[in-house]
């Protein structure tokens, strides 16, 4: 069947999970478990996965895990942590035990992500055109116009098909009741999709006996879907648009992903020095001369795209690129100015944004959020600092935040001073009892907290990659899943 991965159907003898194996000592510790709480008598696939996990030998699993890590390194599937000068090439730790999502669960996620991306694109068009949502008081005007990611130069500019966010990563968590909640939106240059695909390849290579016969939604379409979306939004009068991926270069933390995606799409990987603008048109330097470029998937931030339009000291971008874009001769994905939509302060208004533009209730709800720029939000945060997660609105990767229950009294007081000095830079949220998934540890299978980043690609329509990046906090009790903070990843199995 197209879109599925797996071999022969599970046998009837595998339906009952064998006891006395790895899962016998597995404890959920009161958290919602992605595998055990999803189990139902009618779900043969989950029963089969549990049965097979139970029968695995722990030393054999460790041997295969070591083999997987060695292969990841040898294949160059690495990332960089800028704060660690000794870790230029670091693999993202890979856990062999997959995170399983049932078909009904995935239906909720897929519809919710599609709804959210649709609302974000409507919001971005409005704030750069009519600003009706500001006039109607749905969002305070200063939250948008005073946002550091708002680009006044985008006012009145029509992007092809009204699509500003061509690639979106929605960070989703699950609480103690199993409810899916959106933690944040990533509408600028979301990363991590390469690990989704490579994790699947790795699972099928090193642990085929766990996946055999399980009907899994395939993940290999991503490159084709992304390339088609970039063709969809290219200038309309071009018969065969040339798509390229623009990378900052080899020292970027996600450079492996840039190489991977260019290969998956079958398009050139370029740096700023490989492109030139002449007569408001973009060309790529090749050994055969200049070649026109019509659609650019950029993996560098707005400020570095064009030294004429943004930072004059940028060595990474292309001089004149924004002028060529505004002339309609090239498309940039994601569009300039999308950072307003994934700002953590704007995130708090997403339920209102969805209702305003779509006249629908949100399918996926936000985590409760307090905006410290507002007096009530600041007061609540200061009064409950030891109970909350407080985050800077412009940071990512788990940097600059404090988790109140895990902080010392001294750390809390130090953070209180930062908060009082610049309240507009922060939001706060309750500590969510994140769901867990079985994870291979020294003593066997243990519960570790996970989140999920599904990736949505939008051209003429929105398509959501089945599954997404499941990040796992490898340290016992840790709620921080970011790779830059010691987290790892799992293969995400969406059952057909």
């Amino acid at each position: 069947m197209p879109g599925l991965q797996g071999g022969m159907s599970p046998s009837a003898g595998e339906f009952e999970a064998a006891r006395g194996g790895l899962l016998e000592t597995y404890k959920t510790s009161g958290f919602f478990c992605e595998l055990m709480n999803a189990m139902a008598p009618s779900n043969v696939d989950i029963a089969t996965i549990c049965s097979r996990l139970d029968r695995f030998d722990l030393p054999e699993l460790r041997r295969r895990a070591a083999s997987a890590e060695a292969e990841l390194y040898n294949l160059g599937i690495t990332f960089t942590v800028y704060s660690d000068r000794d870790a230029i090439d670091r693999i993202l730790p890979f856990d062999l035990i997959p995170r399983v999502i049932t078909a009904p669960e995935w239906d909720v996620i897929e519809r919710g992500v599609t709804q959210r991306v649709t609302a974000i694109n409507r919001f971005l068009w409005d704030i750069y055109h009519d600003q009706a949502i500001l006039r109607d008081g749905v969002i305070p005007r200063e939250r948008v116009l005073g946002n550091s990611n708002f680009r006044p130069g985008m006012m009145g500019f029509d992007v092809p098909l009204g699509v500003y966010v061509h690639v979106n990563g929605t960070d989703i968590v699950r609480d103690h009741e199993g409810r899916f909640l959106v933690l944040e939106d990533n509408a600028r240059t979301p990363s991590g999709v390469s690990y989704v695909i490579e994790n699947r390849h790795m699972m099928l290579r090193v642990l085929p006996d766990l996946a055999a016969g399980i009907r899994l939604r395939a993940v290999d379409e991503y490159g084709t879907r992304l390339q088609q979306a970039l063709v969809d939004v290219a200038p309309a009068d071009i018969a065969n648009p040339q798509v390229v991926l623009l990378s900052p270069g080899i020292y970027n933390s996600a450079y492996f992903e840039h190489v991977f995606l260019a290969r998956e799409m079958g398009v050139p990987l370029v740096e700023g020095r490989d492109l030139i603008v002449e007569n408001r048109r973009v060309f790529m330097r090749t050994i055969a001369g200049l070649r026109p470029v019509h659609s650019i998937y950029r993996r560098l931030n707005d400020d570095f795209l064009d030294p004429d339009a943004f930072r004059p000291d940028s060595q990474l971008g292309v001089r004149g690129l924004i002028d060529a874009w505004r002339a309609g001769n090239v498309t940039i994905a994601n569009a300039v100015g999308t950072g307003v939509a994934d700002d953590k302060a704007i995130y708090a208004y997403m339920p209102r944004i969805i209702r305003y533009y779509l006249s629908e209730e949100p399918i996926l709800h936000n985590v409760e959020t307090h905006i410290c720029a507002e007096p009530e939000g600041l007061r609540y945060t200061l009064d409950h600092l030891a109970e909350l997660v407080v985050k800077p609105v412009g940071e990512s990767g788990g940097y600059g935040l404090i988790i109140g229950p895990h902080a010392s009294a001294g750390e809390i007081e130090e953070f209180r001073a930062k908060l009082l000095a610049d309240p507009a830079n922060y939001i706060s949220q309750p500590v969510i009892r994140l769901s867990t998934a079985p994870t291979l540890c020294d003593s066997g299978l243990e519960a570790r907290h996970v989140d999920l980043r599904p990736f949505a690609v939008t051209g003429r329509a929105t398509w959501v990659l089945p599954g997404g990046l499941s990040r796992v906090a490898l340290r016992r009790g840790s709620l921080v899943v970011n790779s830059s903070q010691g987290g790892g990843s799992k293969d995400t199995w969406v059952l057909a």
Side-chain angles (χ1 to χ4, degrees):
M1 180 181 295
L4 300 183
Q5 290 179 337
M8 298 177 62
S9 299
S11 65
E14 288 180 310
F15 181 80
E16 292 185 8
R19 305 315 304 163
L22 283 180
L23 286 175
E24 185 177 39
T25 57
Y26 175 71
K27 306 295 183 185
T28 63
S29 302
F31 295 99
F32 185 94
C33 175
E34 295 289 334
L35 183 65
M36 308 305 289
N37 284 282
M39 191 170 180
S42 60
N43 196 314
V44 176
D45 286 327
I46 288 182
T48 299
I49 293 167
C50 289
S51 174
R52 291 177 181 175
L53 281 176
D54 248 359
R55 294 201 296 265
F56 268 111
D57 177 72
L58 187 57
E60 174 63 12
L61 275 183
R62 289 195 182 117
R63 185 190 67 78
R64 297 198 200 189
S67 173
E69 292 207 348
E71 189 168 349
L72 288 170
Y73 190 83
N74 290 335
L75 289 172
I77 304 173
T78 60
F79 71 100
T80 301
V81 178
Y82 293 125
S83 59
D84 187 349
R85 65 181 184 181
D86 298 322
I88 294 299
D89 291 311
R90 176 186 292 182
I91 65 167
L92 179 63
F94 173 62
D95 182 63
L96 277 183
I97 313 303
R99 190 250 190 92
V100 182
I101 300 175
T102 64
E105 289 170 334
W106 177 248
D107 178 65
V108 172
I109 294 172
E110 184 176 43
R111 289 187 295 108
V113 167
T114 301
Q115 179 193 57
R116 203 166 178 101
V117 170
T118 302
I120 286 173
N121 277 310
R122 298 272 188 93
F123 167 69
L124 288 167
W125 187 94
D126 185 24
I127 65 170
Y128 288 121
H129 288 79
D130 299 339
Q131 298 189 345
I133 197 168
L134 306 184
R135 288 200 313 272
D136 291 342
V138 177
I139 299 178
R141 184 174 292 271
E142 62 272 16
R143 291 283 84 76
V144 172
L145 303 185
N147 191 296
S148 62
N149 294 301
F150 180 76
R151 303 296 184 187
M154 286 291 292
M155 290 297 298
F157 177 53
D158 290 317
V159 296
L161 303 181
V163 179
Y164 290 78
V165 180
H166 309 81
V167 180
N168 187 77
T170 306
D171 286 351
I172 296 174
V173 296
R174 213 166 183 184
D175 68 8
H176 63 285
E177 296 179 356
R179 295 177 302 173
F180 292 110
L181 301 170
V182 176
L183 194 60
E184 64 182 50
D185 301 288
N186 295 280
R188 279 174 278 186
T189 54
S191 63
V193 71
S194 57
Y195 299 111
V196 178
I197 301 167
E198 288 290 6
N199 285 352
R200 177 61 52 82
H201 295 166
M202 187 62 63
M203 279 293 294
L204 296 179
R205 282 199 293 270
V206 304
L207 209 59
D209 33 357
L210 182 61
I214 305 297
R215 297 184 309 141
L216 305 179
R217 294 283 300 275
V219 298
D220 292 334
E221 285 183 69
Y222 186 85
T224 303
R225 293 276 190 168
L226 178 56
Q227 195 269 346
Q228 183 58 54
L230 295 170
V231 168
D232 287 348
V233 297
D237 58 343
I238 306 300
N240 295 298
Q242 175 64 62
V243 176
V244 300
L245 191 155
L246 175 60
S247 169
I250 192 170
Y251 295 108
N252 184 263
S253 63
Y255 186 70
F256 158 74
E257 178 157 295
H258 305 166
V259 175
F260 176 88
L261 288 175
R263 185 177 68 240
E264 290 287 299
M265 288 191 286
V267 306
L269 176 67
V270 299
E271 297 178 26
R273 60 190 176 183
D274 300 317
L275 302 179
I276 187 172
V277 176
E278 293 185 354
N279 298 319
R280 305 178 83 185
R281 296 183 181 275
V282 181
F283 296 88
M284 172 175 53
R285 293 184 171 98
T286 75
I287 57 174
L290 297 181
R291 181 175 177 178
V293 170
H294 308 105
S295 198
I296 299 174
Y297 177 37
R298 52 84 172 236
R299 292 296 298 258
L300 63 161
N301 293 334
D302 289 359
D303 288 341
F304 298 96
L305 272 175
D306 180 348
D308 283 348
F310 301 113
R311 287 183 53 158
D313 61 340
S314 173
Q315 300 293 311
L316 303 176
V318 184
R319 190 174 298 278
L321 176 59
I322 299 302
D323 191 35
W325 182 42
R326 292 188 63 85
N329 295 324
V330 71
T331 295
I332 299 174
N334 288 346
V336 170
T338 59
V340 179
D342 73 8
D343 183 274
K344 292 180 177 66
I346 296 298
Y347 154 90
Y349 296 96
M350 274 305 299
R352 301 183 202 178
I353 290 171
I354 290 170
R355 295 185 189 104
Y356 185 80
Y357 293 111
L358 306 182
S359 300
E360 299 170 357
E361 284 300 309
I363 296 169
L364 295 171
H365 292 280
N366 277 14
V367 174
E368 177 189 349
T369 303
H370 308 280
I371 302 171
C372 297
E374 299 177 349
E376 184 180 349
L378 177 60
R379 185 166 53 251
Y380 183 90
T381 301
L382 290 171
D383 290 345
H384 299 85
L385 198 51
E387 307 160 21
L388 299 169
V389 179
V390 188
K391 307 174 182 178
V393 296
E395 290 284 355
S396 61
Y399 291 105
L401 59 76
I402 188 171
I403 301 176
H406 295 178
S408 68
E411 289 169 334
I412 288 175
E413 290 311 307
E414 182 181 346
F415 203 90
R416 185 186 300 276
K418 292 181 182 178
L419 184 55
L420 287 168
D422 187 12
N425 189 43
Y426 295 96
I427 61 163
S428 68
Q429 297 170 328
V431 177
I432 302 297
R433 289 172 54 84
L434 297 184
S435 64
T436 60
T439 302
L440 183 60
C441 302
D442 291 342
S443 61
L445 296 188
E446 294 185 9
R448 292 291 186 270
H449 295 293
V450 292
D451 78 348
L452 179 69
R453 178 178 289 180
F455 292 88
V457 174
T458 302
R460 297 191 181 279
T462 295
W463 172 81
V464 185
L465 175 67
L469 179 63
S470 284
R471 298 181 297 183
V472 54
L474 295 176
R475 290 191 288 266
R476 179 180 294 171
S478 174
L479 297 174
V480 182
V481 300
N482 304 82
S483 56
S484 55
Q485 305 292 314
S489 71
K490 291 173 168 285
D491 189 13
T492 309
W493 288 7
V494 175
L495 302 179

